[in-house]
Amino acid sequence: TSAVMQNSWETVSSERHFANAHLEVVTDHVRTPARSLPRAWTIVHRKAAVIIAPMTRDGKIVLIHQERIPIRTAIWEMPSGQIDGPAQETPEQVALRELREEAGYELAKNGELIALGHYFTSPGFTDERGHFFLVHPVQKCKEGAAGDEGESILDCREFSVEEIRRMIAENEIRDANTLSIWAQLWARDLLPVKEC
């Protein structure tokens, strides 16, 4: 085999099992850089998403309390949403739209939207990636949350860094999006430090 083949990923065949507007399930036979024999893997293709950390002027983080049907419970989490709007809409625009729709907050005048990279939500079975954004400072929209009939957001509140740290430690916050963006905020020293 050539050096190009040894360092590339090759999809030998692909079989589609299911598709709808939100996802596609396929079984791919893939030759990897480390394996010459193709390996079968069932994959869920999903659109990319945005995850937003909305921070107020006084350093509080806005979380939404949302019912999640797959896990049959409501959880506190960062606002998020799939990038599935108009084709020309950028991840930054989607982030600001989702922030308005889900939380009823917007970027304050002279505020900034900071891209914090992306992560893979569960790379063992899906290629979905989430793009992280810190939006600071945010303020409540005059008109409130726009809402989406496909979602069930029960509450929206501002939490201090200490409250969120406790909620994570006590397993009250347990979704991958919120935990992952929290790790980025912490690693980049973007969380306000409590004065001693």
Side-chain angles (χ1 to χ4, degrees):
T1 55
S2 68
V4 174
M5 284 299 293
Q6 290 172 351
N7 295 317
S8 64
W9 295 75
E10 181 190 358
T11 303
V12 177
S13 65
S14 184
E15 179 188 356
R16 179 194 262 190
H17 304 293
F18 173 81
N20 66 18
H22 306 286
L23 57 85
E24 177 185 38
V25 181
V26 301
T27 297
D28 285 349
H29 287 78
V30 179
R31 193 174 285 124
T32 74
R35 298 171 63 105
S36 59
L37 292 175
R39 187 170 179 193
W41 207 265
T42 300
I43 302 163
V44 176
H45 293 299
R46 284 203 74 188
K47 296 171 186 167
V50 295
I51 299 96
I52 307 112
M55 188 182 292
T56 63
R57 210 171 287 285
D58 60 356
K60 290 193 172 177
I61 305 288
V62 178
L63 297 181
I64 58 172
H65 196 225
Q66 183 167 200
E67 285 182 329
R68 291 299 196 175
I69 289 172
I71 58 172
R72 305 294 198 269
T73 193
I75 56 174
W76 286 103
E77 58 188 272
M78 299 281 186
S80 63
Q82 280 192 320
I83 302 173
D84 61 2
Q88 68 275 14
E89 200 173 32
T90 66
E92 289 81 2
Q93 290 169 321
V94 174
L96 293 174
R97 178 171 50 77
E98 289 292 340
L99 178 62
R100 278 190 309 274
E101 288 178 4
E102 293 196 347
Y105 280 74
E106 63 189 356
L107 184 61
K109 190 176 180 186
N110 300 322
E112 57 184 335
L113 178 120
I114 303 167
L116 303 176
H118 70 274
Y119 89 117
F120 297 101
T121 60
S122 190
F125 86 99
T126 182
D127 58 357
E128 180 188 37
R129 70 177 63 201
H131 297 272
F132 296 134
F133 293 97
L134 169 62
V135 185
H136 176 260
V138 296
Q139 62 191 21
K140 285 186 178 178
C141 298
K142 290 187 179 92
E143 65 275 9
D148 181 327
E149 62 185 44
E151 297 171 326
S152 186
I153 296 171
L154 308 175
D155 197 3
C156 176
R157 288 196 355 230
E158 298 174 7
F159 293 86
S160 69
V161 168
E162 292 74 28
E163 287 174 309
I164 294 178
R165 190 173 286 134
R166 178 198 57 76
M167 291 165 78
I168 291 171
E170 294 177 4
N171 204 34
E172 200 175 328
I173 290 177
R174 52 195 182 273
D175 70 289
N177 284 344
T178 303
L179 295 172
S180 298
I181 197 169
W182 190 261
Q184 273 287 350
L185 295 168
W186 177 79
R188 293 174 184 241
D189 286 326
L190 294 171
L191 297 167
V193 179
K194 190 177 181 182
E195 298 295 325
C196 296

